[in-house]
Amino acid sequence: MPDVFAEFCAAGLWPGVGPGLIKQFAAAGIGSPADVTATNLAALPRMTDRRASRLLTGFIGAGQLYDLAEILVPVEIPARWATRLSDALGLDAPAVLREDPWRLIAVLPDATVAQADRLARELHPGVRRDDPRRGRALVQWTLARHARDGHTISPAGLVADGIRPFGIDPEPAIGAALLTDDVVSVPAPDGRGDERWLARAPLAGAEATIAEGLARLIRTARTLAGERAVKRAVTDLDDVQAGAVALAAKHGVSLLTGGPGTGKSRTVEAIVKLCTEVEASIALAAPTGRAAKRLEELAGSAATTVHRLLDARPPDKGSTSYVFDRDAGNPIEAKMIVVDETSMLDVELGAALVSAIADGAHLVIVGDPAQLPSIGPGRVLGDLIDSGALPVTELTKLYRQDEGGTIARLAIAVRAGELPAVADPTHEVVIVPARGSEEAAHRVVQVVTDSIPRVFDCERDQIQVVTPVHRGPAGTQALNRALKAALNPGTGTVRGFDPGDRVVATANHLDAEPTGYANGEVGTVLTCGDNTIRVSFTGGEAEISGKALGDLLHGWAITVHRAQGSEWEAVVAVLPPEAGNMLSRPLVYTALTRARRHLSVVHAAGPAVARGVREVGSLPRRTRLSRLLREELAPPAPADPVAQAAFPVIDSA
């Protein structure tokens, strides 16, 4: 039988307790919850009374997590999931899970059906495979997995196909799921056909909120500035860029798209200039801290993350979504809102943003639809463009020559589905061939530690490695081990981290002290001690301890998805053979456009790269935002002449 207490401690569920302290427990007589006393804690080496008191308080406060671990560990379900279950199921999480073990897969799509079935048999011996709770959870689980792949809606037939292999009659299961608050039936995205479509209620609601909110902004907007003011603001822009500024001043919602080097930032800078001249308040934002910092530098005006713009607070108990203090009742105090890197916006964050923009304000949506879509569900930017209901300015003329000519030209070619040969005497772009993943990994370390710093006079902290995969010799895990050994060897003082390590956040912790940070932020470890590390991120420093340490990874090498929205002086893009079908045009394009001065491409994937760029666009996502927006903005139907004849207007004269 697994040791629940040991698993609980090892999973980091006890605040302030790390591997080093756990090794000392046996000598202090601590081997079970009953042994966690002030006396035994005080007996630990180098333990102060204050720290012992803090540890005891932390253990008591983690009581619900321990109760969940007692349910999970005996059936070999990871104890670390207790935190996510507590967040999702609320204050009564242990009781909820005991009553309905299949809630495990309903709220955790990465859990397996086999795990949930095993838990159900343990808690309810003799339970049947056709238990209604099981069928309902399987529908929720299937839709959640579809959402993890980016979809906001799914045809009922596809959902049925997903649950049928588990011995479930789909129709009763779907019917049971529709009786919950979590699953809803929605019209087909194209408005045709009789097939029923299903959606997770929060995602369906988010898409409707975006469509309704954008329609509201369009109908309530008034021209922000006259032609003369616009002309004074756009003196350094070409006609297309100037037209985008004019659209931003006139329309409640407008879109600005284009690849790198086409002048999106110069256009935003002109919008800032225009707002300053007409004394209209403006807010600039981007999905990540690093993207916001880059926007601030390029536009010459303060920028923040979308979460901070919305005054985000951590989720309430029983919820996994952030709470935003800025909403319809407390809107953003700006007449113009410009949001960059909107390809990264998922539907739920997009809905929160649109809801918080006041009537009459103007929204400019900036992004590059050729990049990877959001990690979360939906394709907000793509759907808004595809709707045909909003004014869109696409910048195509390449301006970035001096500081990024070859990179920009390569990006434009990939964007168009071509992978040209690179012949660059300036070595702004260097192709580093490799025979297999092992050699690719060796080349990465060589390029990062020697070639780029020596040839391009680039500091190592300005070099970022990006790769499509986590696993394998050229994945993030192996590359980070190799790069740490080469750049910052150490013993892993706290959870494998040492001062000087580069780290990347894998979850939002906006409540961290003294400065919060967002998912995807890359920082540097400043200090380590007492199961706590201090990290310098773009927006400031943060103290990180307890379970938040589990949301940090080494960050010398990060995935292309996490790199989206950020730029570095030099980037090493790794294309390993194990990436396989992942090598789509958006992925390659995104990887190649993260560098400002120098790009090294470590190429070991053979013809798969050219094939992916030529043939493979973004995998289609099932969404309905385009249709909803067209419906919201459709002109009213003309009056029925028959009805008019039936109810004539009588002239009283």
Side-chain angles (χ1 to χ4, degrees):
M1 178 69 69
D3 187 333
V4 175
F5 182 74
E7 294 284 344
F8 169 84
C9 295
L13 302 178
W14 185 350
V17 172
L21 197 60
I22 293 172
K23 292 178 181 177
Q24 308 295 329
F25 278 2
I30 302 174
S32 72
D35 301 326
V36 182
T37 65
T39 301
N40 286 344
L41 289 172
L44 290 166
R46 298 183 299 279
M47 182 62 60
T48 64
D49 290 343
R50 181 178 179 182
R51 188 184 178 196
S53 177
R54 196 162 65 240
L55 288 175
L56 182 59
T57 302
F59 183 77
I60 295 170
Q64 185 191 65
L65 298 182
Y66 194 88
D67 290 344
L68 286 167
E70 284 189 311
I71 299 172
L72 301 173
V73 171
V75 290
E76 299 180 350
I77 295 174
R80 66 178 184 276
W81 286 1
T83 300
R84 294 167 62 195
L85 287 167
S86 176
D87 291 341
L89 300 178
L91 296 174
D92 297 325
V96 171
L97 196 60
R98 286 192 175 95
E99 171 62 27
D100 184 355
W102 290 286
R103 292 295 297 276
L104 179 75
I105 57 172
V107 298
L108 300 183
D110 48 349
T112 68
V113 178
Q115 288 173 317
D117 287 343
R118 191 162 63 243
L119 180 61
R121 290 193 299 269
E122 175 72 17
L123 297 174
H124 303 279
V127 70
R128 292 171 56 91
R129 287 169 59 86
D130 61 354
D131 189 293
R133 296 170 296 179
R134 184 171 185 260
R136 179 179 62 208
L138 278 167
V139 173
Q140 295 169 318
W141 175 77
T142 301
L143 286 172
R145 290 176 73 86
H146 291 179
R148 194 169 62 178
D149 292 334
H151 308 295
T152 60
I153 58 175
S154 293
L158 186 63
V159 175
D161 291 343
I163 67 176
R164 199 175 279 112
F166 297 101
I168 290 289
D169 185 353
E171 282 304 314
I174 291 173
L178 287 170
L179 295 176
T180 70
D181 294 332
D182 185 59
V183 178
V184 295
S185 180
V186 298
D190 59 3
R192 299 189 299 270
D194 298 327
E195 184 175 14
R196 179 171 52 175
W197 285 66
L198 305 173
R200 300 293 294 262
L203 301 182
E207 289 190 309
T209 296
I210 294 173
E212 293 164 3
L214 294 179
R216 169 179 58 82
L217 294 178
I218 290 169
R219 291 171 181 142
T220 60
R222 300 292 182 268
T223 300
L224 199 62
E227 289 185 14
R228 290 183 179 178
V230 171
K231 286 182 179 179
R232 289 193 294 270
V234 302
T235 53
D236 297 329
L237 303 184
D238 66 25
D239 290 345
V240 180
Q241 295 166 337
V245 178
L247 285 175
K250 182 179 180 181
H251 292 273
V253 181
S254 59
L255 279 72
L256 175 64
T257 73
T262 56
K264 295 192 299 293
S265 299
R266 293 177 63 205
T267 307
V268 172
E269 186 179 10
I271 294 173
V272 173
K273 181 180 177 182
L274 174 65
C275 288
T276 301
E277 180 167 329
V278 301
E279 297 183 345
S281 54
I282 184 170
L284 306 181
T288 67
R290 202 170 185 96
K293 184 68 174 177
R294 184 167 64 92
L295 175 62
E296 182 175 293
E297 293 169 350
L298 295 173
S301 184
T304 186
T305 63
V306 174
H307 279 86
R308 290 196 176 96
L309 181 66
L310 297 174
D311 288 345
R313 298 185 278 110
D316 294 330
K317 208 66 173 174
S319 173
T320 56
S321 301
Y322 268 73
V323 178
F324 301 105
D325 287 339
R326 293 290 182 181
D327 55 20
N330 181 31
I332 299 164
E333 296 173 355
K335 288 293 185 183
M336 174 75 73
I337 296 97
V338 180
V339 185
D340 197 10
E341 297 288 353
T342 51
S343 62
M344 302 173 68
L345 277 184
D346 61 47
V347 290
E348 292 184 289
L349 185 56
L353 172 66
V354 172
S355 298
I357 300 176
D359 289 359
H362 291 231
L363 171 64
V364 180
I365 298 167
V366 185
D368 185 353
Q371 291 191 34
L372 287 166
S374 60
I375 294 176
R379 55 184 299 269
V380 174
L381 178 61
D383 280 349
L384 297 186
I385 295 170
D386 292 349
S387 72
L390 301 172
V392 181
T393 302
E394 182 179 8
L395 305 180
T396 58
K397 185 176 180 180
L398 184 60
Y399 283 94
R400 192 192 295 175
Q401 295 293 334
D402 293 336
E403 71 268 29
T406 308
I407 294 172
R409 287 191 293 272
L410 178 61
I412 294 296
V414 171
R415 201 172 191 262
E418 302 174 3
L419 189 65
V422 174
D424 182 10
T426 69
H427 300 296
E428 181 184 311
V429 177
V430 175
I431 308 299
V432 184
R435 294 166 296 184
S437 297
E438 290 80 4
E439 185 177 335
H442 174 74
R443 296 296 185 201
V444 168
V445 175
Q446 184 181 52
V447 167
V448 171
T449 60
D450 178 52
S451 303
I452 294 177
R454 175 170 49 82
V455 176
F456 298 98
D457 191 29
C458 182
E459 297 294 330
R460 289 175 175 174
D461 63 356
Q462 287 297 312
I463 305 171
Q464 182 63 56
V465 178
V466 299
T467 177
V469 295
H470 285 295
R471 302 187 183 278
T476 58
Q477 297 173 2
L479 287 174
N480 273 311
R481 288 194 296 269
L483 289 166
K484 175 172 172 58
L487 297 172
N488 194 50
T491 59
T493 312
V494 174
R495 300 283 186 92
F497 300 115
D498 295 297
D501 279 356
R502 187 183 301 179
V503 294
V504 60
T506 63
N508 290 322
H509 285 280
L510 303 179
D511 56 331
E513 296 292 342
T515 306
Y517 56 94
N519 186 3
E521 298 252 15
V522 176
T524 301
V525 177
L526 300 176
T527 61
C528 296
D530 196 20
N531 204 39
T532 299
I533 66 175
R534 191 174 186 89
V535 180
S536 173
F537 291 108
T538 304
E541 297 180 5
E543 295 273 358
I544 304 172
S545 61
K547 65 180 183 181
L549 287 170
D551 296 329
L552 280 184
L553 299 173
H554 282 109
W556 286 285
I558 61 177
T559 62
V560 179
H561 273 93
R562 294 202 184 281
Q564 190 167 356
S566 300
E567 283 188 347
W568 292 267
E569 287 299 297
V571 167
V572 181
V574 191
L575 303 175
E578 56 263 37
N581 293 331
M582 293 177 62
L583 293 173
S584 65
R585 187 185 308 164
L587 187 143
V588 175
Y589 176 81
T590 303
L592 301 183
T593 54
R594 300 307 92 203
R596 281 193 287 261
R597 288 178 52 206
H598 172 76
L599 171 68
S600 284
V601 182
V602 180
H603 187 355
V609 180
R611 184 171 61 249
V613 169
R614 184 177 61 252
E615 300 175 358
V616 185
S618 291
L619 294 176
R621 292 187 169 189
R622 299 185 296 273
T623 64
R624 65 184 190 123
L625 178 55
S626 286
R627 179 189 175 187
L628 290 173
L629 188 58
R630 286 193 296 269
E631 291 174 348
E632 285 288 339
L633 295 175
D640 187 343
V642 176
Q644 288 183 340
F647 300 95
V649 177
I650 300 174
D651 191 342
S652 60

